[in-house]
Amino acid sequence: MAAWTAQALTMDDLIKEFLQESSENLDRLDQDFVKLEGDPSNGELLSSIFRTIHTIKGTCGFLGFTKLEALAHVGESLLSIMRAGELLLTPTIADGLLEMVDAVRMILKEIETSGAEGSAEYPELIEKLKQLQQQPKGVAAEAEKKVEPVAVAVEPSAKNEEAKAVQEDKKTKAAALRESDPPHPEPQPKPSSTGKRKKPEIIPGRIGSTLVNRGRVRPEDVVLALELQEEGDHRRLGEILVSLGLATEREIEEALAVKPVTEKQEGSIRVDVNLLEKQMNLVSELVLLRNRLLQIAADANERNLNATVHGLNYVTSELRKNVMKTRMQPVSQLFDKLPRILRDVSKDLGKKVKLETHGGETELDKTLLEAIKDPVTHILRNSIDHGIEAPEQRQKGGKPEEGTVRVRAFHEGGNFHLEIADDGAGIDRERVKQKALAKGLINAGQSEKMTESEILSLVFQPGLSTAEKVTNVSGRGVGMDVVKTNIERIGGTAKIESAKNHGTTVWLEIPLTLATIPALTVVSGKSVFAIPQAALVEMIAVDAEDSQKYIECIDGVSVFRFRGTVLPLMALREELKLKNAPPADANIVQLVVVRTEDRQIALLVDDIRNTEEIVIKPLDKRFKSIALYSGAAVLGDGRVALILDIPAFARRAGMVASQQLRPAQTAEGQRKEKLTLLLLGGPDSERMAIPLDCVQRLEEFEATAKERMGELDVVQYRNDILHLVRLQDLLQERRAARRTEEGIHPPAEQGKISAIVVRSDKSENIILQVHRILGIVKVEFEKLTPPSRAGVRGSLVVQERVTELLDLEALLAKVRKIKDTSDALVGAGSGK
Amino acid sequence: MEKVQEVLEFEEITPIPLSPAVLPGIINLRGQILTTIDLKTRLNLSSDESNGQQMMIVVRTSEGPMNLLVDKIGGVMDVDPDLFEKPTETLQPAVRSVTTHVCKLENHLLLVLDTEKVIQLPEEMSSAGAPVLAARQEKVLSH
């Protein structure tokens, strides 16, 4: 073979290059086929497809991948008939060809992993493709009219004769091709003789050689065109190539433009991703070194040094920006893969869906783009499967028969956003709820209290699928939860919104790059820790004297009262068992409030330093078991900081589990329940508990603050008047008789009243006056002992004491009842 | 053994809270974060010789460079491969399991360590029994 540019390369390199090139080509094939289906007579598209498959086939032969070659060959044969206008792309043909593309892909994967083609031969597929070549002539005749409206002079029968001949020719050639090395395409139009002859050479410096060197055309193609010229074709080489669909006119023009200049450098080069990765790391290190140098220079205050360092500063920043840029890829790379998925899925389900993509030029870091590929694919599948209705149903609903899935990418707020919206049926919240109930993800009590968006977010829970029947597309109950975890793994968020009959939209928000993240550095003990900015809510400094007001340490579990909510508090020093840690300023308590999903926790640290851009470095697997760090980072001053894994901390606080789905409040759940309870002591030293999640605040009131209003007491609380109810009054008293003797109103309290503000979803908050607050415990139980009185869910053993778990809903219902009766009385204006 | 990438003066180790004693922490080597293994703890040796500045040896391993914390470095020597013997049974198990060869030198015993094994920490890196080795422990820094 003449002028084979890759001669110098080893076989391995060739295969590697072939694999890379082919996978790109296959992706393009997917798109082209889908496009061609919409426009079957598009000759240019067909040519492009033909050329791609031909390229793959040619290289296979060269590299000795016979199975792959055989497969590509039947596909090519079929395509060449189509290209000759004998056949028109039908969905069946498209299916067959796409199947072939998939098979080729499988073989390529096999080659990539094992270096050999593997054992699969796809005889059925090959047979199927051969069958497709024998399609009824009626289709072909129709095709002729479309493709060659001018060629009326040719007798249809003659045309068919020729088509047959072409096919026959192909068969003999196919057999011959398996033996002979570099195969060449089916000559079009068919040359009269197929006998072997001396092959013409590609002359360096001519158009053919330029095209080959530029990788536009295979050397075999040029040889073929030269052969045709020798056979008497008087057109120019470029024209022949164009007419054969082996090159586009533009490519020829480009090649012609290049010709005078003997060789020109390519505008772009392929770079190994690993190399790029390494480069990125080096640049990151350079940035850190620069930061250190900047500090040193600032201290030294030397004029020359300063000037140089500033120069370095500028260059480094530019370098960093540029290296980052090389990693950025347009999201259209992902978009290009979607039409094929859409086609397959919608065809499978018998739905009509069209895809609209916007913002394909939006760029995203390569690794992130890779990471969102699967989630996005899944969301798209979901949209088609669950979202878009069947065509008849859509018509009935007054919508266009064809559904639309709109995918939009854009940058906003330094983040990458992706929006996948369908105009389908939307998510039936009621069904989601029922499903979640049936699967035991929530219980009846919770389901009533859930807000619309809370219900929707259930979709992200594992094990929930609203598909009525399991299709092979989706509905197996794995999916959206995986989407969410995958997105969160790369520091992004996933949200869903849905309007009934109007469709569903899923939003993904993803940081532009993973290379550096802003983080807050804090000090505890002697160590510096970094908290990713994304997890940060706020930093609070409290005077040590006042800290008692905000921080309560009851029973070993600390809580921090923070604007009306009670947050679990973790002292970093204690959690990590840090030694000798004198706080920087003993008069001030430093707190960092962090969040995971929706739950917040407060971290007590010794000191807060500053925010820095940090480069995340993975930690050795030997430290994995500690599970509280997500990595390490080198700070500007050269110190190493551990990055705190905030979700892990929250889990440690035992709060994440109860965060999205509040713990069950009825005893119906068979599963093990985990609860964090607020322990209360009754007047007869009996023990009671309520779930901490229902507690908004712990309060103390002066007894005198209590005012009487109707049948109920009220207190003024934060510009609001809240009902204050004694817990004992609500519970059915066991010693009712004794209480009656003492009178309906118990002796007036003196001093302070312990009270808890409880959240009620149905009405306003209510303050429960309790006898004593004992502390907070975490418990785990399977079943409760049945309750012995109303207002109690049941009892369990906590700290070796029988403890009644209060049924807050029942208690609040009781309060409402009392209130309703008293409201009637209050109408008269009774007060104390 | 061409396993040694470089030898460092003692640098500040960033401790990892809650990690076992054998892993005193991580160091920042020109922007690269290296895990440090305390060789003495790893080999279950007593800490008699801990006076003076400790040293660090960065070794190349299959998992990338790792940092070994040692008391001091004896020196670099070429050892005649003929002097190598199989590790004796009398060696303490923690030491023997990571030793490839023993080499009797004029006045002391030289152990050749298998760095790959050294960095594989046993499940329980607990201190089992007092070490009784009298011989000077060194790493061979030669070919």
Side-chain angles (χ1 to χ4, degrees), chain A residues 115-127:
Chain A
E117 289 179 278
S119 53
E121 290 206 32
Y122 305 95
E124 291 139 40
L125 178 59
I126 291 179
E127 199 42 51

Side-chain angles (χ1 to χ4, degrees), chain A residues 520-777:
Chain A
L520 178 77
T521 48
V522 299
V523 182
S524 221
K526 279 180 181 163
S527 311
V528 184
F529 299 96
I531 299 170
Q533 194 103 62
L536 203 64
V537 180
E538 64 185 299
M539 295 166 268
I540 299 161
V542 182
D543 274 344
E545 291 163 20
D546 287 351
S547 68
Q548 300 303 320
K549 277 191 205 161
Y550 301 100
I551 299 168
E552 280 169 52
C553 183
I554 330 161
D555 218 42
V557 179
S558 306
V559 291
F560 172 57
R561 294 202 212 143
F562 177 55
R563 298 207 195 106
T565 50
V566 179
L567 300 182
L569 177 84
M570 297 177 97
L572 212 50
R573 213 186 312 155
E574 284 158 32
E575 288 304 324
L576 301 178
K577 301 203 171 53
L578 301 172
K579 289 166 223 141
N580 57 9
D585 188 346
N587 296 324
I588 288 180
V589 177
Q590 298 273 15
L591 286 162
V592 181
V593 180
V594 290
R595 72 184 149 98
T596 68
E597 302 198 0
D598 306 320
R599 164 70 62 173
Q600 301 189 345
I601 63 169
L603 288 175
L604 180 65
V605 299
D606 288 351
D607 197 13
I608 291 169
R609 290 199 352 175
N610 53 349
T611 45
E612 287 191 30
E613 287 277 321
I614 57 166
V615 182
I616 303 176
K617 309 249 172 173
L619 263 190
D620 196 306
K621 59 173 196 253
R622 291 171 185 77
F623 300 115
K624 281 267 161 64
S625 60
I626 307 170
L628 285 175
Y629 317 110
S630 54
V634 181
L635 302 178
D637 61 0
R639 287 183 75 178
V640 182
L642 290 167
I643 303 164
L644 298 181
D645 186 349
I646 298 302
F649 270 89
R651 271 197 296 281
R652 209 178 163 102
M655 287 303 183
V656 159
S658 57
Q659 163 259 310
Q660 267 197 328
L661 302 170
R662 284 190 215 112
Q665 281 155 15
T666 50
E668 62 183 6
Q670 295 299 312
R671 297 170 308 136
K672 222 167 195 178
E673 275 192 66
K674 270 188 196 169
L675 281 181
T676 307
L677 299 175
L678 181 69
L679 278 184
L680 306 169
D684 299 315
S685 72
E686 73 265 34
R687 288 207 169 193
M688 287 166 282
I690 63 169
L692 190 63
D693 288 302
C694 313
V695 177
Q696 206 159 51
R697 284 184 70 108
L698 305 180
E699 281 296 345
E700 274 186 340
F701 294 102
E702 295 293 335
T704 49
K706 231 160 92 168
E707 289 171 62
R708 191 80 185 162
M709 199 168 133
E711 288 293 301
L712 288 166
D713 287 333
V714 292
V715 283
Q716 290 184 20
Y717 180 70
R718 298 180 167 234
N719 306 326
D720 208 354
I721 293 173
L722 293 186
H723 288 284
L724 182 130
V725 190
R726 274 163 42 103
L727 184 57
Q728 283 110 312
D729 294 345
L730 289 176
L731 290 169
Q732 187 189 331
E733 284 296 334
R734 290 210 176 82
R735 297 183 189 79
R738 209 183 80 194
R739 288 264 181 271
T740 329
E741 276 164 29
E742 283 170 15
I744 294 153
H745 295 293
E749 290 93 349
Q750 277 159 17
K752 304 223 171 186
I753 302 170
S754 297
I756 48 180
V757 182
V758 292
R759 243 202 304 264
S760 164
D761 293 85
K762 292 227 174 91
S763 53
E764 72 273 37
N765 294 343
I766 277 174
I767 301 177
L768 272 186
Q769 182 191 342
V770 296
H771 191 77
R772 216 145 56 91
I773 296 174
L774 295 171
I776 295 169
V777 284

Side-chain angles (χ1 to χ4, degrees), chain B residues 48-95:
Chain B
D48 320 326
E49 262 181 276
S50 58
N51 49 341
Q53 193 69 279
Q54 286 183 303
M55 298 285 281
M56 291 172 171
I57 305 173
V58 178
V59 290
R60 291 192 192 93
T61 74
S62 56
E63 294 177 38
M66 295 282 270
N67 181 32
L68 297 180
L69 186 63
V70 298
D71 278 346
K72 66 179 186 188
I73 289 165
V76 180
M77 56 172 75
D78 284 313
V79 185
D80 186 350
D82 294 344
L83 291 174
F84 281 173
E85 287 171 27
K86 280 239 145 64
T88 51
E89 295 291 314
T90 50
L91 281 176
Q92 208 212 100
V95 180

Side-chain angles (χ1 to χ4, degrees), chain A residues 404-418:
Chain A
T404 309
V405 177
R406 198 166 36 79
V407 185
R408 195 162 75 94
F410 56 98
H411 284 158
E412 196 183 280
N415 282 337
F416 171 85
H417 295 248
L418 193 70

Side-chain angles (χ1 to χ4, degrees), chain A residues 219-359:
Chain A
E220 307 95 72
D221 299 341
V222 178
V223 173
L224 173 77
L226 290 170
E227 270 175 356
L228 288 172
Q229 269 183 339
E230 280 180 13
E231 276 171 28
D233 196 323
H234 296 298
R235 290 176 292 173
R236 296 175 62 183
L237 188 79
E239 284 169 19
I240 298 176
L241 286 171
V242 171
S243 73
L244 293 182
L246 295 168
T248 61
E249 271 172 44
R250 221 178 90 212
E251 280 168 356
I252 302 291
E253 272 163 30
E254 275 170 13
L256 285 170
V258 169
K259 240 175 92 185
V261 197
T262 34
E263 266 307 302
K264 206 180 132 192
Q265 283 290 310
E266 286 277 340
S268 61
I269 50 160
R270 284 183 190 282
V271 180
D272 188 0
V273 179
N274 288 328
L275 189 68
L276 217 54
E277 200 76 25
K278 229 177 248 168
Q279 204 159 340
M280 187 67 217
N281 283 340
L282 284 173
V283 170
S284 300
E285 273 156 36
L286 185 64
V287 169
L288 295 173
L289 282 174
R290 175 207 60 186
N291 291 352
R292 276 172 90 168
L293 199 56
L294 277 174
Q295 278 181 10
I296 294 168
D299 292 345
N301 199 19
E302 185 117 0
R303 239 183 105 212
N304 277 340
L305 181 66
N306 271 335
T308 318
V309 166
H310 275 110
L312 178 73
N313 186 11
Y314 174 75
V315 174
T316 316
S317 304
E318 281 301 300
L319 185 63
R320 179 167 172 236
K321 237 190 275 171
N322 278 310
V323 172
M324 297 266 242
K325 227 189 239 167
T326 57
R327 294 173 52 91
M328 298 301 257
Q329 303 263 303
V331 72
S332 58
Q333 283 198 353
L334 172 63
F335 285 0
D336 288 348
K337 296 197 163 68
L338 300 181
R340 168 80 198 270
I341 298 162
L342 184 100
R343 175 199 179 270
D344 287 0
V345 175
S346 52
K347 196 149 179 291
D348 248 22
L349 297 164
K351 292 180 182 176
K352 286 187 182 167
V353 189
K354 72 168 186 280
L355 181 77
E356 275 178 30
T357 54
H358 303 274

Side-chain angles (χ1 to χ4, degrees), chain A residues 143-264:
Chain A
E144 271 160 45
K145 271 181 225 150
K146 284 194 182 171
V147 180
E148 293 171 288
V150 210
V152 261
V154 188
E155 284 266 309
S157 58
K159 196 87 187 174
N160 283 344
E161 280 298 299
E162 200 181 50
K164 249 182 230 158
V166 168
Q167 277 169 17
E168 234 120 83
D169 177 46
K170 234 146 261 154
K171 272 180 211 151
T172 45
K173 275 217 143 181
L177 277 169
R178 259 164 231 132
E179 291 133 45
S180 71
D181 50 328
H184 45 89
E186 320 309 329
Q188 296 287 341
K190 175 190 80 98
S192 47
S193 69
T194 42
K196 295 226 169 185
R197 64 168 74 212
K198 206 174 72 198
K199 280 182 184 165
E201 300 250 325
I202 300 173
I203 303 133
R206 302 272 316 257
I207 171 97
S209 137
T210 314
L211 280 167
V212 170
N213 287 341
R214 287 165 60 86
R216 300 292 185 224
V217 181
R218 295 265 136 199
E220 307 95 72
D221 299 341
V222 178
V223 173
L224 173 77
L226 290 170
E227 270 175 356
L228 288 172
Q229 269 183 339
E230 280 180 13
E231 276 171 28
D233 196 323
H234 296 298
R235 290 176 292 173
R236 296 175 62 183
L237 188 79
E239 284 169 19
I240 298 176
L241 286 171
V242 171
S243 73
L244 293 182
L246 295 168
T248 61
E249 271 172 44
R250 221 178 90 212
E251 280 168 356
I252 302 291
E253 272 163 30
E254 275 170 13
L256 285 170
V258 169
K259 240 175 92 185
V261 197
T262 34
E263 266 307 302
K264 206 180 132 192

Side-chain angles (χ1 to χ4, degrees), chain A residues 59-124:
Chain A
T59 321
C60 286
F62 182 75
L63 295 172
F65 295 125
T66 48
K67 287 171 197 160
L68 194 53
E69 187 195 341
L71 196 59
H73 178 73
V74 279
E76 189 195 6
S77 307
L78 179 56
L79 279 165
S80 77
I81 300 173
M82 287 163 60
R83 208 168 43 126
E86 310 287 336
L87 264 179
L88 206 55
L89 188 80
T90 61
T92 340
I93 296 180
D95 275 346
L97 287 170
L98 282 172
E99 211 177 305
M100 180 205 68
V101 171
D102 289 340
V104 170
R105 211 176 254 135
M106 295 281 277
I107 299 180
L108 286 177
K109 202 166 250 174
E110 187 65 36
I111 294 173
E112 199 176 354
T113 47
S114 70
E117 289 179 278
S119 53
E121 290 206 32
Y122 305 95
E124 291 139 40

